[in-house]
Amino acid sequence: SVCYFFFFSRSSAKLVAPLGCLVSRQKHTLPDLPYDYAALEPHINAEIMQLHHSKHHATYVNNLNVVEEKYKEALAKGDVTAQVSLQPALKFNGGGHINHTIFWTNLSPNGGGEPKGELMEAIKRDFGSFANFKEKLTAVSVGVQGSGWGWLGYNKEQGRLQIAACANQDPLQGTTGLIPLLGIDVWEHAYYLQYKNVRPDYLKAIWNVINWENVSSRYAACKK
């Protein structure tokens, strides 16, 4: 059988085959950035962006393709033990690909400031004010132990925004059910070359390049 889930891009919802769902599939590819590596300076420097995108994200994509090929073979053989043993690698590399694909679109050289319209109203409704929301998401992201992500997600069942943290490359929707709107990568590779071990400085800077137009589009799409 064939099954799908919706992945929301900046412009539209795309129908995508989930990990391990299809026996016959196209390989995953590294998405192009919608801006140059140096475009987010001085907040995130070009060296970080180049390594983060062309090395780290590319590795997740390559490893995901390898593990999906092994998973396809295990499915064909009916080898449930092999399928189960491959789940951690699917989760880690698949999550890394999903998370970073969202992350790049959440950033923009024309970003910063505050959101407008429905998203801003929802933030005020669910967090009291934009300042409170920003403080809470920053605190959750700073507090991630080791490597992981801070997220603003949408709880479709409750019809409200929610902040969450995920460890390592755990994908937000696959592990919490929340639809991802805004993700902040707090792995050291996202900031160490520029901010060393001072994660709070990186988090202070990243608000200057948040692409609220993209986040607002994702919010509007997930409410449909």
Side-chain angles (χ1 to χ4, degrees):
S1 63
V2 178
C3 48
Y4 297 92
F5 72 91
F6 280 99
F7 173 78
F8 296 101
S9 68
R10 286 180 299 169
S11 56
S12 62
K14 297 180 180 178
L15 203 58
V16 181
L19 311 182
C21 185
L22 299 179
V23 174
S24 177
R25 61 166 187 82
Q26 291 185 334
K27 287 193 173 184
H28 302 282
T29 57
L30 181 68
D32 293 332
L33 292 187
Y35 40 77
D36 294 333
Y37 286 138
L40 304 182
E41 291 187 340
H43 309 293
I44 305 177
N45 69 34
E47 184 180 15
I48 287 176
M49 292 299 295
Q50 190 270 328
L51 290 170
H52 198 173
H53 177 257
S54 70
K55 303 298 183 182
H56 289 282
H57 190 174
T59 297
Y60 296 127
V61 171
N62 294 336
N63 289 343
L64 177 59
N65 285 323
V66 170
V67 75
E68 279 198 343
E69 196 63 33
K70 292 179 180 178
Y71 198 89
K72 183 180 76 172
E73 294 171 4
L75 282 172
K77 294 176 182 177
D79 188 343
V80 177
T81 299
Q83 293 171 44
V84 171
S85 70
L86 288 166
Q87 289 298 320
L90 275 172
K91 183 179 182 182
F92 182 76
N93 292 291
H97 180 37
I98 291 169
N99 293 341
H100 284 88
T101 299
I102 295 169
F103 182 61
W104 307 131
T105 66
N106 279 168
L107 305 177
S108 169
N110 301 313
E114 300 181 359
K116 300 176 182 178
E118 286 189 4
L119 178 60
M120 186 59 154
E121 293 306 311
I123 286 173
K124 290 178 179 178
R125 179 196 67 208
D126 295 332
F127 301 105
S129 68
F130 179 76
N132 284 344
F133 154 71
K134 183 176 176 180
E135 182 180 346
K136 288 182 178 181
L137 182 53
T138 298
V140 165
S141 302
V142 168
V144 171
Q145 295 184 348
S147 300
W149 293 72
W151 288 98
L152 171 66
Y154 180 65
N155 187 320
K156 201 169 183 69
E157 289 186 2
Q158 298 180 13
R160 59 185 288 266
L161 301 175
Q162 201 168 319
I163 287 172
C166 289
N168 301 312
Q169 293 297 350
D170 291 2
L172 183 70
Q173 190 165 4
T175 54
T176 70
L178 298 174
I179 300 172
L181 303 179
L182 169 63
I184 299 179
D185 189 346
V186 290
W187 279 65
E188 285 190 344
H189 64 236
Y191 62 87
Y192 199 87
L193 288 175
Q194 186 171 359
Y195 295 98
K196 303 300 186 261
N197 63 318
V198 190
R199 185 186 288 178
D201 284 355
Y202 158 69
L203 286 163
K204 182 179 179 181
I206 203 170
W207 290 102
N208 294 300
V209 290
I210 296 297
N211 184 355
W212 289 115
E213 182 179 344
N214 171 259
V215 182
S216 294
S217 295
R218 297 177 67 83
Y219 176 64
C222 73
K223 290 183 64 185
K224 292 179 180 179

